[in-house]
């Protein structure tokens, strides 16, 4: 079990109803996709937020990664919609 | 010279222009993005990822400085709530070369849309809110700089 | 909104920016050209063809307005003698569209180099003078807009 | 014979030593190239200014034209080096 801080932004944050949560990751969770599956099972609002994964972006320790990326020794993992700055 | 700022407060494009003119360049280019009142929008709120955003803005400014012969780069992005007509983002570039100044300015504006963790929420006068969706055209505009680098 | 001026006096880029921001656009782009002190140059004198120059500047501004969806175009070009660090030319563009603002600004700067009857003479502190020769790269930069129109 | 105002700019003006001159054009002068030949014969400084025709640009009644352009009923013809504004 590894302790990881999960952050949520924009409508992902609103749907889940949390800005962040501390989780204990089971060892079998290797990729971002595994983590999304696991998080989606935590509550109905998590399930709703992660329903359409094509709209979910992820950053591990503040670097954007694809959903097949390995989590490794991440300390902070963030989920959010595609960015719209500028 | 590099000046990157993430701030709630408004900024003064004329003051940034004056700072970069003081570097004795041959060319100063600039871009200011403002909140438009499309479809009756009354305000816009910009959420961001603290820490990652500052790093992303600095990385973009550094990339511009490494790709073009620039004398100065200013990159200011506001966060929080802004009403229609308010400024959101400022890029100002100083270079001895006209093409470098124009290209670096376009590069930063295109990449800001796709490479920095900002999310915009539009707000109407009746209190309705809506998250702005990312546009494919923004990805295309940002990607042309990858092509250009090859 | 179109503002074209051929003048001896200096201008204020910040004031032009403010005028165009007042049109409630989504984007304001600008370019300022200044006298560089390359190779020890101390000043620059701009000669022009009275009558034809004003017509050429107006035609360029009109072409930008017809090619892109713009809310405002400012085009100011100075004539006469200017010392190092002084402003020579200003283009400021307002549009609701980021790409239109950036492209129209680059278009006007590129075309000004090749389509308006100005001649620059450089001056050194020892009194030596030299007429600046036109560059092939300027023709190429201006011609890309002909290609883009096809 | 037609009366035409000839204008000179930049180093063309300096070499000829005139900003403008009023000339009576012989009828056989049809093109800009013919006019350059004729002007080059007016004085040594005219000959010097027009020595390298690849460096000469021309505007008829304030529109840039090529050297094979017909003069027609022009009232004002200007000669100058390639432009260097912006």
């Amino acid at each position: 079990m590894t302790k990881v801080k999960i952050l949520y932004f924009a409508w992902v944050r609103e749907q889940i109803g949390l800005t962040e949560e501390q989780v204990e990751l089971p060892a079998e969770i290797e990729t971002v996709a595994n983590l999304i599956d696991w998080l989606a099972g935590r509550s109905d609002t998590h399930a709703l937020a992660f329903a359409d994964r094509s709209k979910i972006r992820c950053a591990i320790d503040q670097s954007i990664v694809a959903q097949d990326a390995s989590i490794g020794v991440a300390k902070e993992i963030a989920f959010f919609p595609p960015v719209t700055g500028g | 010279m590099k000046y990157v700022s993430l701030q709630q407060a408004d900024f003064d494009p004329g003051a940034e222009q004056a700072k970069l003119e003081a570097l004795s360049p041959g060319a100063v280019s600039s871009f200011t993005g403002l909140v438009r009142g499309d479809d009756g929008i009354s305000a816009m709120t910009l959420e961001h990822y603290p820490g990652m955003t500052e790093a992303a803005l600095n990385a973009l400014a550094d990339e511009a400085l490494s790709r073009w012969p620039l004398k100065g780069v200013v990159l200011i992005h506001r966060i929080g709530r802004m009403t229609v007509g308010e400024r959101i983002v400022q890029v100002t570039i100083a270079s001895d070369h006209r093409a470098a100044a124009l290209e670096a300015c376009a590069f930063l504006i295109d990449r800001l849309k796709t490479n920095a963790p900002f999310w915009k929420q539009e707000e109407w006068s009746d209190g309705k809110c809506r998250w702005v969706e990312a546009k494919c055209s923004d990805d295309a505009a940002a990607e042309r700089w990858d092509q250009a680098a090859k």
Side-chain angles (χ1 to χ4, degrees), chain A, chain B:
Chain A
M1 301 283 275
T2 330
K3 273 202 167 179
V4 180
K5 185 161 79 171
I6 310 286
L7 304 179
Y8 303 113
F9 292 103
W11 58 253
V12 178
R13 169 180 59 71
E14 287 183 340
Q15 290 189 355
I16 294 176
L18 291 171
T19 57
E20 64 177 80
E21 56 185 326
Q22 203 78 29
V23 298
E24 302 266 348
L25 285 192
E28 66 270 22
I29 293 178
E30 288 175 6
T31 67
V32 171
N34 296 156
L35 176 59
I36 292 176
D37 288 340
W38 185 77
L39 287 169
R42 282 172 74 85
S43 79
D44 287 354
T45 58
H46 283 80
L48 182 69
F50 288 116
D52 181 354
R53 291 173 196 199
S54 71
K55 291 186 174 164
I56 299 293
R57 298 292 178 273
C58 178
I60 294 183
D61 292 334
Q62 306 195 355
S63 289
I64 304 249
V65 297
Q67 289 181 16
D68 61 0
S70 165
I71 286 172
V73 293
K75 288 182 178 159
E76 179 177 301
I77 303 180
F79 292 98
F80 43 78
V83 303
T84 56
Chain B
M1 180 276 216
K2 180 177 84 160
Y3 176 72
V4 173
S5 175
L6 183 72
Q7 60 188 55
Q8 296 236 348
D10 189 20
F11 50 82
D12 176 0
E16 301 309 320
Q17 170 91 20
K19 270 191 230 165
L20 292 202
E21 286 185 1
L23 302 174
S24 306
V28 176
S29 63
S30 86
F31 181 93
T32 312
L34 305 104
V35 181
R36 271 189 295 165
D38 290 5
D39 311 320
I41 288 168
S42 61
M44 179 89 89
T45 300
L46 260 128
E47 182 171 334
H48 78 117
Y49 186 164
M52 182 173 165
T53 314
E54 292 85 339
L57 298 184
N58 271 288
L60 285 176
D62 289 339
E63 191 177 345
L65 283 162
S66 74
R67 285 179 74 151
W68 288 278
L70 307 181
K71 285 190 162 171
V73 172
V74 168
L75 177 50
I76 303 172
H77 207 300
R78 290 179 68 194
I79 47 176
R81 186 170 178 277
M82 288 154 254
T83 55
V84 167
E86 282 194 71
R87 301 176 193 97
I88 307 169
V89 60
Q90 179 70 32
V91 172
T92 312
I93 305 283
S95 175
D96 275 345
H97 306 279
R98 164 177 55 133
L102 291 167
E103 285 174 21
C105 188
F107 165 82
L108 285 174
I109 285 298
D110 286 343
R111 282 289 180 88
L112 266 176
K113 290 255 172 198
T114 58
N115 287 43
F118 289 109
W119 300 275
K120 279 185 187 145
Q121 191 177 49
E122 296 169 338
E123 182 185 323
W124 281 262
S125 50
D126 62 3
K128 192 169 52 123
C129 286
R130 190 185 65 118
W131 288 99
V132 175
E133 285 192 44
K135 287 189 218 136
C136 292
S137 59
D138 290 337
D139 286 333
E143 276 167 18
R144 71 189 165 113
W145 299 105
D146 298 330
Q147 298 301 320
K150 277 171 196 167

